[in-house]
Amino acid sequence: MASDERDETDERGGAETRPAKAQKSEQTRTLILQTALRLFQERGYDKTTMRAIAKEAGVSVGNAYYYFAGKEHLVQGFYDRIGAEHGAAARAVLDKETDLETRLAGVLTAWLDIAAPYHEFAAQFFKNAADPESPLSPFSAESQPAREAAIALHREVLTGSKAKIPAELEDILPELMWLSQMGLVLYWVFDRSPERERSRRLAARGARLTNRGVALARFRVLRPLVHEVHELFKDFLPGMAETATARKRS
Amino acid sequence: MASDERDETDERGGAETRPAKAQKSEQTRTLILQTALRLFQERGYDKTTMRAIAKEAGVSVGNAYYYFAGKEHLVQGFYDRIGAEHGAAARAVLDKETDLETRLAGVLTAWLDIAAPYHEFAAQFFKNAADPESPLSPFSAESQPAREAAIALHREVLTGSKAKIPAELEDILPELMWLSQMGLVLYWVFDRSPERERSRRLAARGARLTNRGVALARFRVLRPLVHEVHELFKDFLPGMAETATARKRS
């Protein structure tokens, strides 16, 4: 959506060259997003209006709406940004380590590092995102791109490791790993320990547990249970069915 | 605590007989609790004061504080009440069925029935209870009695069934079953389907999954993983360690 809008800007471009125009457009987009996040933190999500964001960013209200159709879209922009930063930060461990536990612990810890500046925002924002039917929920249709990217990262954690994964679980394990990351995020939101040290320990413990669970998946008798857990999440969380459908299409 | 206070009332009793006095005391307590719940629903938890509750209930502020030391205590009173009603409603299935899946599905569905009138309250109250460090969280020290009672019910689900439970898992399975019930409660809070029909299906599916999981526990290779999952919850959720300690003492 956002990229379509940027294309449109490019086509209207006159004197400026396409790349210069696109770069300026991206800068404005970033400025609006950063301003919104600051105001969300300072005033609360519910109390911040698009008008106030535009004013603080020094752009017209029309311009703000041009880049983001509403507050929800700003949050999606925030999710996408966090995801992109996380993907980049995770490279260090994904390109080097082959042990599943080390890879997963590294990726989860990288997320805690990236998200650290937004902890306060997350705590006050939580009640908006906790409702699975809210567009701001990680399980919503609107969050599908951010969710896909995060699941793809977990797929890479798995496939790039030396762990042996039964073919029948290759697709669903990354989704379950992402779900358990959502559990970590929920824990982190309420974590008041210094430097979120408890969340960091939970990330390490969760990685160890996942590694053991994956090792047990070599026992055929267990696999139906893994499928059933996955089916349950797919049937009851709105976004998980779409994610599975998208995976089958690709 | 509340029962100590009632004893004190009894000792002060003059003309009235002990049972009559105790009965009246219990009626006042119930009146204050019901009034509080109605105001929480109508005005929101945060905006409701003890003063307003006392006024609406037609008792003095001092009297309201005599029964409940504060709003948090009213919520604990609510938890205890829901728990007691749930325990009574669960008897129908626990006294009759021996199949683990049927017992668990029945107990979970009984909870959904009992909690139905409070759904609206739960949705707006959620943000207060979601923080594991809030006294209102199901994982708090303050919620320990309500939590203990709920776990005891799950213990009965298990021990009264014909399922074979390895001795080493007898203590921890009821705690894990209660944890998954908390997952159901979280789902129910946000469930807008008519009659919370989706939560009812989730209860049934969860019971089936638990039954299969317990059946797999006969494989020794799996048991360390169950222990590790339990250890993880115990180490990271404040109340679970206390619950385990209390169990060992008893």
Side-chain angles (χ1 to χ4, degrees):
Chain A
M1 235 168 354
S3 62
D4 290 354
E5 283 161 3
R6 277 203 301 277
D7 289 350
E8 217 181 307
T9 321
D10 292 352
E11 280 158 27
R12 286 193 221 146
E16 288 184 85
T17 59
R18 257 168 189 267
K21 187 92 186 178
Q23 199 184 349
K24 198 176 159 194
S25 178
E26 184 55 38
Q27 279 169 358
T28 308
R29 195 174 188 277
T30 301
L31 173 68
I32 296 169
L33 188 55
Q34 283 173 342
T35 307
L37 277 174
R38 181 165 56 78
L39 293 189
F40 290 162
Q41 295 233 37
E42 286 171 11
R43 308 177 184 180
Y45 176 76
D46 295 331
K47 287 183 189 146
T48 305
T49 60
M50 283 295 277
R51 183 169 294 274
I53 294 164
K55 194 181 167 197
E56 277 285 313
V59 303
S60 72
V61 177
N63 206 8
Y65 274 109
Y66 177 80
Y67 286 98
F68 296 98
K71 282 201 293 179
E72 291 86 357
H73 295 257
L74 277 159
V75 175
Q76 292 300 335
F78 170 60
Y79 288 168
D80 292 341
R81 177 149 310 212
I82 288 267
E85 287 182 32
H86 182 215
R91 289 261 57 88
V93 63
L94 292 180
D95 291 346
K96 197 179 70 186
E97 304 291 345
T98 57
D99 176 63
L100 177 58
E101 183 178 335
T102 311
R103 287 171 72 83
L104 182 55
V107 163
L108 294 175
T109 304
W111 189 89
L112 294 172
D113 291 336
I114 292 295
Y118 310 107
H119 187 262
E120 202 186 330
F121 169 60
Q124 68 98 343
F125 177 72
F126 171 70
K127 70 175 193 300
N128 300 88
D131 182 346
E133 292 192 32
S134 157
L136 305 181
S137 157
F139 303 109
S140 72
E142 289 80 356
S143 299
Q144 169 84 350
R147 185 168 60 243
E148 281 295 324
I151 292 172
L153 203 62
H154 281 290
R155 194 170 298 122
E156 198 186 336
V157 167
L158 208 58
T159 54
S161 81
K162 59 179 194 282
K164 279 186 188 142
I165 316 297
E168 61 173 304
L169 298 183
E170 255 172 21
D171 282 334
I172 69 181
L173 284 178
E175 289 171 26
L176 292 174
M177 287 158 72
W178 174 76
L179 274 167
S180 61
Q181 188 194 338
M182 291 304 100
L184 174 66
V185 172
L186 178 63
Y187 191 83
W188 169 83
V189 163
F190 292 112
D191 183 0
R192 295 183 190 82
S193 63
E195 309 287 318
R196 319 300 157 209
E197 172 266 335
R198 288 200 306 197
S199 295
R200 286 169 193 282
R201 282 193 293 123
L202 181 56
R205 282 279 292 275
R208 193 174 79 187
L209 193 58
T210 300
N211 187 42
R212 299 222 177 149
V214 168
L216 286 176
R218 71 176 184 276
F219 296 102
R220 277 176 201 282
V221 66
L222 259 182
R223 295 185 200 164
L225 194 72
V226 181
H227 281 287
E228 201 168 344
V229 170
H230 181 255
E231 284 295 311
L232 188 137
F233 284 119
K234 211 182 65 172
D235 292 350
F236 287 90
L237 290 172
M240 298 310 285
E242 291 168 42
T243 301
T245 311
R247 191 213 321 132
K248 271 169 198 160
R249 269 201 311 269
S250 66
Chain B
M1 233 168 356
S3 63
D4 289 354
E5 283 161 3
R6 275 202 302 278
D7 288 351
E8 217 179 308
T9 321
D10 291 353
E11 280 157 27
R12 286 191 219 147
E16 291 184 83
T17 60
R18 259 168 187 266
K21 188 93 185 175
Q23 199 183 349
K24 197 176 159 193
S25 177
E26 184 55 36
Q27 278 168 358
T28 308
R29 196 174 188 278
T30 300
L31 173 67
I32 295 169
L33 188 55
Q34 283 172 344
T35 307
L37 277 175
R38 180 165 57 78
L39 293 189
F40 289 162
Q41 294 233 37
E42 287 170 11
R43 308 177 184 180
Y45 175 77
D46 294 330
K47 287 181 190 148
T48 305
T49 61
M50 283 295 277
R51 182 168 294 275
I53 294 164
K55 194 180 168 199
E56 277 284 315
V59 303
S60 71
V61 177
N63 205 8
Y65 274 109
Y66 176 80
Y67 286 98
F68 297 98
K71 283 201 292 179
E72 291 84 359
H73 295 257
L74 276 159
V75 176
Q76 292 301 335
F78 171 60
Y79 288 168
D80 292 341
R81 177 148 310 213
I82 288 266
E85 288 182 31
H86 183 213
R91 288 263 56 86
V93 64
L94 292 180
D95 290 346
K96 197 179 70 184
E97 305 290 345
T98 57
D99 175 63
L100 176 57
E101 183 178 336
T102 311
R103 288 170 73 82
L104 181 54
V107 164
L108 294 175
T109 303
W111 190 88
L112 294 172
D113 290 337
I114 293 296
Y118 310 107
H119 188 261
E120 202 185 333
F121 170 61
Q124 68 96 343
F125 177 72
F126 171 70
K127 69 176 194 300
N128 300 89
D131 182 345
E133 292 190 33
S134 158
L136 306 180
S137 157
F139 304 108
S140 72
E142 289 81 355
S143 300
Q144 169 85 349
R147 184 168 59 242
E148 280 297 324
I151 292 172
L153 203 61
H154 281 289
R155 193 172 295 122
E156 198 186 337
V157 166
L158 208 59
T159 54
S161 80
K162 59 179 194 282
K164 279 186 187 141
I165 315 296
E168 61 173 304
L169 298 183
E170 254 171 21
D171 283 333
I172 69 180
L173 283 179
E175 290 172 25
L176 292 175
M177 287 158 71
W178 174 77
L179 274 168
S180 62
Q181 187 193 340
M182 292 303 102
L184 174 65
V185 172
L186 179 62
Y187 191 83
W188 169 83
V189 163
F190 291 112
D191 182 0
R192 294 182 189 84
S193 63
E195 310 287 318
R196 319 299 155 210
E197 172 265 336
R198 288 199 305 196
S199 295
R200 288 170 191 280
R201 283 193 291 123
L202 181 57
R205 281 279 293 275
R208 193 173 80 187
L209 192 59
T210 300
N211 187 42
R212 300 222 175 149
V214 168
L216 285 176
R218 72 177 184 277
F219 296 101
R220 276 174 203 285
V221 66
L222 257 182
R223 295 183 201 166
L225 194 71
V226 181
H227 280 288
E228 200 169 343
V229 170
H230 181 255
E231 284 295 312
L232 187 137
F233 284 119
K234 211 182 63 173
D235 291 350
F236 287 89
L237 290 172
M240 299 309 286
E242 290 169 41
T243 301
T245 311
R247 191 210 324 129
K248 271 167 201 163
R249 270 201 311 268
S250 66

Coordinates of all heavy atoms in Angstrom, one line a residue, chain B residues 164-204:
Chain B
K164 N -4.2 -42.7 32.7 CA -3.0 -43.1 33.5 C -2.0 -42.0 33.5 O -1.5 -41.6 32.5 CB -2.4 -44.4 33.0 CG -3.2 -45.6 33.4 CD -2.5 -46.9 33.0 CE -3.4 -48.1 33.4 NZ -3.4 -49.1 32.3
I165 N -1.7 -41.5 34.7 CA -0.8 -40.4 34.8 C 0.5 -40.8 35.5 O 0.4 -41.4 36.6 CB -1.4 -39.2 35.7 CG1 -2.9 -39.0 35.3 CG2 -0.6 -38.0 35.6 CD1 -3.1 -38.5 34.0
P166 N 1.6 -40.6 34.8 CA 2.9 -40.9 35.5 C 3.0 -40.2 36.8 O 2.7 -39.0 36.8 CB 4.0 -40.5 34.5 CG 3.2 -40.2 33.2 CD 1.8 -40.0 33.5
A167 N 3.5 -40.8 37.8 CA 3.6 -40.2 39.2 C 4.4 -38.9 39.1 O 4.0 -37.9 39.7 CB 4.2 -41.1 40.2
E168 N 5.5 -38.9 38.3 CA 6.3 -37.7 38.3 C 5.6 -36.5 37.6 O 6.1 -35.3 37.8 CB 7.6 -38.0 37.5 CG 7.4 -38.3 36.0 CD 8.7 -38.4 35.3 OE1 9.5 -37.5 35.2 OE2 9.0 -39.5 34.7
L169 N 4.5 -36.7 37.0 CA 3.8 -35.6 36.4 C 2.5 -35.2 37.1 O 1.8 -34.2 36.8 CB 3.4 -35.9 34.9 CG 4.6 -36.1 34.0 CD1 4.1 -36.3 32.5 CD2 5.6 -34.9 34.0
E170 N 2.2 -36.0 38.1 CA 0.9 -35.8 38.8 C 0.7 -34.4 39.4 O -0.4 -33.8 39.4 CB 0.8 -36.7 40.0 CG -0.2 -37.9 39.8 CD -0.1 -38.9 40.9 OE1 0.4 -38.6 42.0 OE2 -0.5 -40.1 40.6
D171 N 1.8 -33.8 39.9 CA 1.7 -32.5 40.5 C 1.7 -31.3 39.5 O 1.1 -30.3 39.7 CB 2.8 -32.2 41.5 CG 2.6 -33.0 42.8 OD1 1.4 -33.2 43.1 OD2 3.6 -33.3 43.4
I172 N 2.5 -31.5 38.4 CA 2.7 -30.4 37.5 C 1.6 -30.3 36.4 O 1.3 -29.2 36.0 CB 4.1 -30.3 37.0 CG1 4.4 -31.5 36.0 CG2 5.1 -30.3 38.1 CD1 5.8 -31.4 35.4
L173 N 1.0 -31.4 36.0 CA 0.0 -31.4 35.0 C -1.2 -30.5 35.4 O -1.6 -29.7 34.5 CB -0.5 -32.8 34.6 CG 0.5 -33.6 33.7 CD1 -0.1 -35.0 33.4 CD2 0.8 -32.8 32.4
P174 N -1.7 -30.5 36.6 CA -2.8 -29.6 36.9 C -2.4 -28.1 36.8 O -3.2 -27.3 36.4 CB -3.1 -30.0 38.4 CG -2.7 -31.4 38.6 CD -1.4 -31.5 37.7
E175 N -1.2 -27.8 37.1 CA -0.7 -26.4 37.0 C -0.7 -26.0 35.5 O -1.1 -24.9 35.1 CB 0.6 -26.2 37.7 CG 0.5 -26.3 39.2 CD 1.8 -26.3 39.9 OE1 2.8 -25.7 39.4 OE2 1.9 -26.8 41.1
L176 N -0.2 -26.9 34.7 CA -0.1 -26.7 33.2 C -1.6 -26.6 32.6 O -1.8 -25.8 31.7 CB 0.7 -27.7 32.5 CG 2.2 -27.7 32.8 CD1 2.9 -28.8 32.1 CD2 2.8 -26.3 32.4
M177 N -2.5 -27.4 33.1 CA -3.8 -27.3 32.7 C -4.5 -26.0 33.0 O -5.2 -25.4 32.3 CB -4.7 -28.5 33.2 CG -4.3 -29.9 32.6 SD -4.7 -31.3 33.6 CE -6.5 -31.3 33.5
W178 N -4.2 -25.5 34.3 CA -4.7 -24.2 34.7 C -4.1 -23.1 33.8 O -4.8 -22.2 33.4 CB -4.4 -24.0 36.2 CG -4.8 -22.6 36.6 CD1 -6.0 -22.2 36.9 CD2 -3.9 -21.5 36.8 NE1 -6.0 -20.9 37.2 CE2 -4.7 -20.4 37.2 CE3 -2.5 -21.3 36.6 CZ2 -4.2 -19.2 37.4 CZ3 -2.0 -20.1 36.9 CH2 -2.8 -19.0 37.3
L179 N -2.8 -23.2 33.5 CA -2.2 -22.2 32.6 C -2.9 -22.2 31.3 O -3.2 -21.1 30.7 CB -0.7 -22.6 32.4 CG 0.2 -22.0 33.5 CD1 1.6 -22.6 33.3 CD2 0.3 -20.5 33.4
S180 N -3.2 -23.4 30.7 CA -3.9 -23.3 29.4 C -5.3 -22.8 29.6 O -5.9 -22.2 28.7 CB -3.9 -24.7 28.7 OG -4.5 -25.7 29.5
Q181 N -5.9 -23.0 30.8 CA -7.2 -22.4 31.0 C -7.1 -20.8 31.0 O -8.0 -20.1 30.5 CB -7.8 -22.8 32.3 CG -9.3 -22.3 32.5 CD -9.8 -22.4 33.9 OE1 -9.3 -23.2 34.7 NE2 -10.8 -21.7 34.2
M182 N -6.0 -20.3 31.5 CA -5.7 -18.9 31.4 C -5.7 -18.4 30.0 O -6.1 -17.3 29.6 CB -4.5 -18.5 32.2 CG -4.6 -18.7 33.7 SD -6.0 -17.7 34.5 CE -7.1 -19.0 34.7
G183 N -5.1 -19.3 29.1 CA -5.1 -19.0 27.7 C -6.5 -18.9 27.1 O -6.8 -18.0 26.4
L184 N -7.4 -19.8 27.6 CA -8.8 -19.8 27.1 C -9.5 -18.5 27.6 O -10.2 -17.9 26.9 CB -9.5 -21.0 27.7 CG -11.0 -21.1 27.5 CD1 -11.4 -21.2 26.0 CD2 -11.6 -22.3 28.2
V185 N -9.2 -18.1 28.9 CA -9.8 -16.9 29.4 C -9.3 -15.7 28.6 O -10.2 -14.8 28.3 CB -9.4 -16.7 30.9 CG1 -9.8 -15.4 31.5 CG2 -10.0 -17.9 31.8
L186 N -8.1 -15.6 28.3 CA -7.6 -14.5 27.5 C -8.3 -14.5 26.1 O -8.7 -13.4 25.6 CB -6.0 -14.7 27.2 CG -5.3 -13.7 26.4 CD1 -5.4 -12.3 27.0 CD2 -3.8 -14.1 26.2
Y187 N -8.5 -15.6 25.5 CA -9.2 -15.7 24.2 C -10.7 -15.2 24.4 O -11.2 -14.5 23.6 CB -9.2 -17.2 23.7 CG -9.7 -17.3 22.3 CD1 -8.8 -17.0 21.2 CD2 -11.0 -17.6 22.0 CE1 -9.2 -17.1 19.9 CE2 -11.4 -17.7 20.7 CZ -10.6 -17.4 19.7 OH -11.0 -17.5 18.4
W188 N -11.3 -15.7 25.5 CA -12.7 -15.4 25.8 C -12.9 -13.9 26.0 O -13.9 -13.3 25.6 CB -13.1 -16.2 27.0 CG -14.4 -15.8 27.7 CD1 -15.6 -16.2 27.3 CD2 -14.6 -14.9 28.8 NE1 -16.6 -15.7 28.1 CE2 -16.0 -14.9 29.1 CE3 -13.7 -14.2 29.6 CZ2 -16.5 -14.1 30.1 CZ3 -14.2 -13.5 30.7 CH2 -15.6 -13.4 30.9
V189 N -11.9 -13.2 26.7 CA -12.0 -11.8 26.9 C -12.3 -11.0 25.6 O -13.1 -10.1 25.6 CB -10.7 -11.3 27.6 CG1 -10.6 -9.8 27.5 CG2 -10.7 -11.7 29.1
F190 N -11.7 -11.5 24.5 CA -11.8 -10.7 23.3 C -12.7 -11.4 22.3 O -12.8 -11.0 21.2 CB -10.4 -10.7 22.6 CG -9.4 -9.8 23.4 CD1 -8.3 -10.3 24.0 CD2 -9.7 -8.4 23.5 CE1 -7.5 -9.4 24.7 CE2 -8.8 -7.6 24.2 CZ -7.7 -8.1 24.8
D191 N -13.4 -12.4 22.8 CA -14.3 -13.2 21.9 C -15.7 -12.4 21.7 O -16.4 -12.2 22.7 CB -14.6 -14.6 22.5 CG -15.5 -15.4 21.6 OD1 -15.9 -14.9 20.5 OD2 -15.7 -16.6 22.0
R192 N -16.0 -12.0 20.5 CA -17.2 -11.3 20.3 C -18.3 -12.1 19.6 O -19.3 -11.7 19.1 CB -17.0 -10.0 19.4 CG -16.1 -9.0 20.1 CD -15.9 -7.7 19.3 NE -14.9 -6.9 19.9 CZ -13.6 -7.0 19.7 NH1 -13.2 -8.0 18.9 NH2 -12.8 -6.1 20.3
S193 N -18.0 -13.4 19.4 CA -19.0 -14.3 18.8 C -20.2 -14.5 19.6 O -20.1 -14.4 20.8 CB -18.3 -15.7 18.5 OG -18.0 -16.3 19.6
P194 N -21.4 -14.7 19.0 CA -22.6 -14.9 19.8 C -22.5 -16.0 20.8 O -22.0 -17.1 20.5 CB -23.7 -15.2 18.7 CG -23.1 -14.9 17.4 CD -21.6 -14.9 17.6
E195 N -22.9 -15.7 22.0 CA -22.8 -16.7 23.1 C -21.4 -17.2 23.3 O -21.2 -18.3 23.9 CB -23.7 -17.9 22.8 CG -25.1 -17.6 22.4 CD -26.0 -17.1 23.6 OE1 -25.8 -17.7 24.7 OE2 -26.7 -16.2 23.4
R196 N -20.4 -16.4 22.8 CA -19.0 -16.8 23.0 C -18.8 -18.3 22.4 O -18.1 -19.1 23.0 CB -18.5 -16.8 24.4 CG -18.9 -15.6 25.2 CD -18.5 -14.3 24.6 NE -19.4 -13.2 25.1 CZ -19.7 -12.1 24.4 NH1 -19.2 -11.9 23.2 NH2 -20.6 -11.3 24.9
E197 N -19.4 -18.5 21.3 CA -19.4 -19.8 20.7 C -18.0 -20.3 20.3 O -17.7 -21.4 20.4 CB -20.4 -19.8 19.5 CG -20.5 -21.0 18.6 CD -19.6 -20.8 17.4 OE1 -19.2 -19.7 17.0 OE2 -19.2 -21.9 16.9
R198 N -17.2 -19.3 19.9 CA -15.8 -19.7 19.5 C -15.0 -20.1 20.7 O -14.3 -21.1 20.6 CB -15.1 -18.5 18.8 CG -15.7 -18.3 17.4 CD -14.7 -17.5 16.6 NE -14.4 -16.3 17.2 CZ -13.8 -15.2 16.6 NH1 -13.5 -15.3 15.4 NH2 -13.5 -14.2 17.3
S199 N -15.2 -19.5 21.8 CA -14.5 -19.9 23.1 C -15.0 -21.3 23.5 O -14.2 -22.1 24.0 CB -14.8 -18.9 24.2 OG -14.3 -17.6 23.9
R200 N -16.3 -21.6 23.3 CA -16.8 -22.9 23.6 C -16.1 -24.0 22.7 O -15.7 -25.0 23.2 CB -18.3 -23.0 23.4 CG -19.0 -22.2 24.5 CD -20.4 -22.0 24.3 NE -20.9 -21.0 25.3 CZ -21.1 -21.3 26.6 NH1 -21.0 -22.5 27.0 NH2 -21.4 -20.3 27.5
R201 N -16.0 -23.7 21.4 CA -15.3 -24.6 20.6 C -13.8 -24.8 21.0 O -13.2 -25.8 20.9 CB -15.4 -24.2 19.1 CG -16.8 -24.5 18.5 CD -16.8 -24.4 17.0 NE -16.6 -23.0 16.6 CZ -15.7 -22.5 15.8 NH1 -14.8 -23.3 15.3 NH2 -15.6 -21.2 15.5
L202 N -13.2 -23.6 21.4 CA -11.8 -23.7 21.8 C -11.6 -24.5 23.1 O -10.7 -25.3 23.2 CB -11.2 -22.3 22.0 CG -9.8 -22.2 22.5 CD1 -8.8 -22.8 21.5 CD2 -9.4 -20.7 22.7
A203 N -12.6 -24.4 24.0 CA -12.6 -25.3 25.2 C -12.6 -26.7 24.8 O -11.8 -27.5 25.4 CB -13.8 -24.9 26.1
A204 N -13.5 -27.1 23.9 CA -13.6 -28.5 23.5 C -12.3 -29.0 22.8 O -11.8 -30.1 23.1 CB -14.8 -28.7 22.5

